[in-house]
């Protein structure tokens, strides 16, 4: 994606032995590049959400292993790096996927070759993510084209999205937003309803920021508005991302996604999920029962951070002192509420058969 004329990915080796990222905790008010130089830096960046979004978490973990092996390429060093990174966030399965892939590639090698191989494998994971998302964009854009054909000429297709499953959540392009960018580039008139996505406001802070930079028409809405818009015919389709999708098509995504899927179902609005294959957890079948849901610090709920009129970044409390808060970060949308999964190999039904047809090698 281009920011002020410069093409960026969200993570890249800087050629000086460290890895550069965009600090997403400082957006939308400050575009800051941070350099990761150690395993600890990488683990912190994932845990504190300087990088976030399932595919980017996977890529950052892979680069974290590469940074760790520069310091210690022994078996113990590899084990320690994988364990430390795996413990950073529990829900996005891309983290486990990337670490298993790094271990499979590196463990059989002599120590002297591991560091270089780790950097190459992390770069391969990042490059593959870009290609996967490009394909998701093309397959998903066809759905937006179809929606456009059902509208009066020139009238925009209204897409509703939740959280940020855009460029910032991946290495480039995004998953849910890749079809939006592809259709936009193809000249389809469209407009995106952006759920603010409390408590961390990934929609208001990140999705709005990247759509604005790309010139895509959009409107930020409070999280509870979507149902009302759908009742009044103002949403043509929903597209969201996923942190883990079961082998049966249940989708785990940012908290509040389930409620949007229920509203979409009740109003006959198609509900699609952008799904890169590393986000499929082939080992589980029941998302509600088996997907670990991250619970985060309650201060993300009880406090709000933003920019004051005179440019200072300030945090204020919005709940009464002493009121308990709960902060569940994700929820599960059962497959029956999902119209289709937009993968890099095409769009399929959210079901075991649908996924098997596209990924026959998974049995
Ligand atoms: C392409 S990203 C898909 C998901 O990771 C995204 O929708 C999401 O829920 C991100 O959550 P976050 O807590 O910001 O990491």
């Amino acid at each position: 994606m281009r920011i002020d004329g410069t093409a960026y990915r969200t993570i890249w080796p800087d050629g000086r032995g460290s890895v550069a990222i965009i600090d997403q905790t400082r957006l939308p008010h400050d575009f800051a590049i941070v350099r990761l130089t150690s395993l600890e830096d990488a683990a912190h960046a994932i845990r504190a959400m300087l990088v976030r979004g399932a595919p980017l978490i996977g890529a950052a973990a892979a680069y974290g292993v590469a940074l760790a092996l520069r310091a210690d390429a022994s078996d113990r060093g590899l084990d320690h790096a994988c364990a430390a990174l795996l413990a950073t966030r529990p829900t996005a399965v891309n983290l486990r996927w990337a670490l298993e892939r790094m271990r499979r590639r590196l463990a059989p090698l002599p120590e002297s070759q591991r560091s270089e191989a780790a950097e190459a494998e992390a770069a391969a994971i990042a490059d593959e993510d870009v290609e996967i998302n490009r394909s998701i964009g093309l397959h998903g854009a066809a759905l937006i084209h179809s929606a456009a054909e059902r509208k009066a000429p020139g009238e925009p297709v209204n897409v509703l999205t939740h959280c940020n499953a855009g460029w910032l959540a991946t290495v480039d392009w995004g998953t849910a937003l890749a079809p939006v960018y592809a259709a936009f580039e193809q000249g389809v008139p469209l407009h995106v309803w952006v759920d603010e996505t409390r408590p961390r406001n990934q929609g208001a802070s990140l999705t709005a920021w990247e759509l604005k930079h790309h010139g895509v028409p959009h409107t930020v809405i409070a999280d509870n508005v979507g149902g009302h818009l759908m009742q009044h015919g103002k949403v043509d389709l929903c597209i969201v991302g996923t942190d883990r999708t079961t082998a049966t098509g249940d989708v785990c995504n940012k908290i509040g996604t389930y409620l949007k899927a229920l509203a979409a179902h009740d109003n006959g609005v198609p509900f699609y999920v952008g799904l890169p294959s590393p986000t499929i957890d082939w080992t589980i079948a029941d998302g509600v029962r088996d997907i670990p849901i991250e619970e985060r610090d309650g201060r993300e709920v009880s406090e709000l951070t933003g920019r004051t009129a005179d440019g200072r970044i300030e945090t204020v409390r919005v709940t009464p002192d002493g009121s308990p808060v709960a902060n569940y970060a994700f929820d599960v949308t059962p497959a029956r509420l999902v119209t289709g999964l937009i993968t890099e190999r095409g769009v399929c039904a959210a079901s075991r058969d649908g996924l098997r047809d596209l990924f026959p090698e998974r049995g």
Side-chain angles (χ1 to χ4, degrees):
M1 173 153 170
R2 288 187 171 273
I3 300 296
D4 301 331
T6 305
Y8 286 95
R9 287 184 173 187
T10 53
I11 189 165
W12 65 96
D14 69 356
R16 287 183 279 157
S18 45
V19 173
I21 58 164
I22 297 159
D23 181 352
Q24 299 191 23
T25 63
R26 291 166 69 174
L27 289 171
H29 307 300
D30 187 16
F31 182 77
I33 291 169
V34 168
R35 294 185 195 282
L36 312 177
T37 60
S38 63
L39 167 65
E40 291 69 31
D41 283 355
H44 169 74
I46 299 171
R47 192 180 307 106
M49 294 176 67
L50 280 70
V51 289
R52 30 67 53 202
L56 180 54
I57 289 171
Y63 277 115
V65 172
L67 289 171
L69 295 195
R70 287 175 78 90
D72 178 2
S74 66
D75 285 353
R76 223 169 127 245
L78 180 59
D79 287 348
H80 172 65
C82 289
L85 290 160
L86 189 63
T88 51
R89 294 193 71 189
T91 302
V93 77
N94 305 58
L95 179 61
R96 186 183 80 196
W97 170 86
L99 293 172
E100 285 175 355
R101 175 165 160 175
M102 294 296 281
R103 184 189 284 284
R104 263 198 316 277
R105 172 78 184 97
L106 302 170
L109 298 179
E111 279 183 30
S112 60
Q113 293 175 17
R114 281 183 180 166
S115 178
E116 203 178 317
E119 279 167 34
E121 194 66 6
I125 285 174
D127 288 347
E128 284 169 32
D129 182 61
V130 177
E131 286 317 308
I132 285 173
N133 299 332
R134 201 191 303 276
S135 298
I136 288 174
L138 295 177
H139 293 299
L143 300 169
I144 299 178
H145 273 278
S146 306
E149 280 162 15
R150 294 190 291 273
K151 314 264 316 180
E155 204 188 316
V157 175
N158 286 300
V159 179
L160 183 142
T161 193
H162 192 69
C163 193
N164 173 263
W167 166 62
L168 289 165
T170 62
V171 178
D172 206 347
W173 284 98
T175 59
L177 290 190
V180 167
Y181 289 131
F184 182 72
E185 297 299 329
Q186 292 161 5
V188 180
L190 52 83
H191 164 264
V192 183
W193 295 112
V194 179
D195 283 353
E196 63 175 345
T197 318
R198 276 284 283 152
R200 285 188 68 101
N201 289 319
Q202 288 95 327
S205 303
L206 305 178
T207 300
W209 182 83
E210 60 169 268
L211 290 174
K212 183 166 177 290
H213 273 276
H214 207 85
V216 178
H218 63 280
T219 306
V220 180
I221 50 175
D223 281 328
N224 299 324
V225 174
H228 166 78
L229 293 175
M230 292 185 216
Q231 284 175 326
H232 289 271
K234 293 187 172 170
V235 180
D236 296 299
L237 70 162
C238 303
I239 314 181
V240 301
T242 169
D243 282 80
R244 191 183 295 228
T245 292
T246 66
T248 53
D250 292 344
V251 171
C252 181
N253 191 50
K254 182 53 53 191
I255 194 77
T257 302
Y258 171 48
L259 291 177
K260 290 299 134 64
L262 282 172
H265 188 71
D266 194 44
N267 290 283
V269 173
F271 189 90
Y272 288 101
V273 176
L275 170 64
S277 58
T279 310
I280 305 170
D281 186 342
W282 298 97
T283 68
I284 56 174
D286 183 334
V288 174
R289 193 189 58 198
D290 293 334
I291 297 179
I293 301 295
E294 180 176 16
E295 289 179 51
R296 296 184 58 85
D297 193 320
R299 281 176 299 180
E300 292 180 353
V301 174
S302 60
E303 297 176 352
L304 274 173
T305 299
R307 191 177 62 191
T308 60
D310 60 359
R312 284 169 297 119
I313 303 298
E314 290 225 334
T315 299
V316 295
R317 189 176 174 94
V318 289
T319 56
D321 287 337
S323 278
V325 292
N327 188 7
Y328 297 95
F330 297 93
D331 61 26
V332 173
T333 299
R336 67 187 159 77
L337 298 176
V338 178
T339 309
L341 302 169
I342 312 169
T343 79
E344 68 268 28
R345 295 192 189 173
V347 181
C348 71
S351 66
R352 194 184 284 280
D353 287 348
L355 282 168
R356 240 192 229 144
D357 282 350
L358 286 186
F359 299 94
E361 72 276 17
R362 302 305 305 219

